[in-house]
Amino acid sequence: DDLRGKFREIATTVVAQHARRHDREASAPTEMMSALHAAGLLNLCVHKDVGGDGISFVTGHDPLPFLIGIEELARIDMGSAHDFQVHGHSSMFLSHACNAEQRERYLRPVVEQGQVLSWTGSELGRTARGQWALQSEAVKRPGGYVLNGVKVYGTNASIADWNIVSVNSDQGPSPDNFLMVMIPAGAKGFEVDAAWWDPTGMRSAISPKLV
């Protein structure tokens, strides 16, 4: 009840106050993300090792508080609830996939600084090509990879501190060449086209094109 009350308070004050403007502008609810961080709710799905609550569909650790949060935010603005949902699922994925050192790098700042995460797999035409047939690619070079491609529906991408993107590498056949890559905000050669997102609804769930 206390957790539901915290989400409802943020929804009825912060989200409600700014929802109309974000819908008009198709802009991200950064005020909501800041309020969730201040209330300790942005880290619900972050691994316990770095100070989160460890909620996860992957491990089966009681996902109900996460679902309650989505429900309460969506009562006021479904787009804002979707932004929270994407951040939460990104946190779950990293909590499960990362080693201890990577959790410190990517997830500790979510808890301590309120950093926001985005995870984008979508590409135009991907459904017709199949789950693993990505056009975005990672080409092996000395010291790492060079990434080339275009992703769409990158929810939170314009405000995210880290963008997780899925690509196919040139190392082996599909699906063994499937990679998830962490791209920091402002990385050289990484562009977020926020103007691409201009729907008729869910406009605060800003989901740009990534190049």
Side-chain angles (χ1 to χ4, degrees):
D1 289 344
D2 181 57
L3 181 137
R4 183 182 291 276
K6 289 180 178 179
F7 272 109
R8 181 165 295 184
E9 180 179 1
I10 292 172
T12 55
T13 56
V14 179
V15 177
Q17 180 182 354
H18 299 282
R20 180 173 295 181
R21 175 173 60 84
H22 288 309
D23 184 70
R24 182 176 64 250
E25 299 173 350
S27 56
T30 54
E31 307 89 358
M32 178 193 74
M33 293 298 193
S34 296
L36 290 171
H37 168 58
L41 300 174
L42 202 61
N43 54 287
L44 277 182
C45 303
V46 172
H47 201 286
K48 288 185 176 182
D49 284 357
V50 290
D53 293 300
I55 290 170
S56 176
F57 294 108
V58 180
T59 63
H61 180 70
D62 190 12
L64 183 60
F66 178 55
L67 299 176
I68 287 173
I70 296 172
E71 178 184 49
E72 289 298 329
L73 297 174
R75 289 178 188 273
I76 302 299
D77 183 46
M78 289 188 289
S80 296
H82 182 64
D83 293 327
F84 170 69
Q85 173 270 129
V86 169
H87 169 82
H89 276 106
S90 300
S91 300
M92 288 183 200
F93 168 76
L94 291 180
S95 294
H96 180 72
C98 288
N99 59 32
E101 181 181 354
Q102 291 168 330
R103 285 196 290 269
E104 286 289 338
R105 182 180 184 186
Y106 302 131
L107 291 171
R108 178 78 71 179
V110 173
V111 177
E112 296 184 351
Q113 303 168 30
Q115 287 194 358
V116 176
L117 303 172
S118 176
W119 178 6
T120 307
S122 300
E123 296 176 351
L124 294 176
R126 180 179 180 181
T127 303
R129 294 193 308 271
Q131 180 179 359
W132 305 108
L134 299 175
Q135 293 179 329
S136 299
E137 62 177 4
V139 180
K140 188 74 171 178
R141 292 286 188 267
Y145 289 90
V146 174
L147 306 182
N148 291 286
V150 176
K151 312 297 285 188
V152 291
Y153 300 113
T155 304
N156 292 338
S158 60
I159 62 170
D161 295 275
W162 288 97
N163 275 275
I164 314 167
V165 298
S166 56
V167 298
N168 283 156
S169 79
D170 61 347
Q171 306 295 299
S174 177
D176 295 335
N177 64 344
F178 181 83
L179 292 179
M180 303 295 288
V181 182
M182 301 292 294
I183 303 177
K188 182 180 179 180
F190 178 63
E191 299 177 11
V192 177
D193 180 6
W196 183 84
W197 176 251
D198 190 23
T200 57
M202 296 277 287
R203 289 171 62 81
S204 58
I206 181 166
S207 302
K209 178 172 69 175
L210 313 181
V211 181

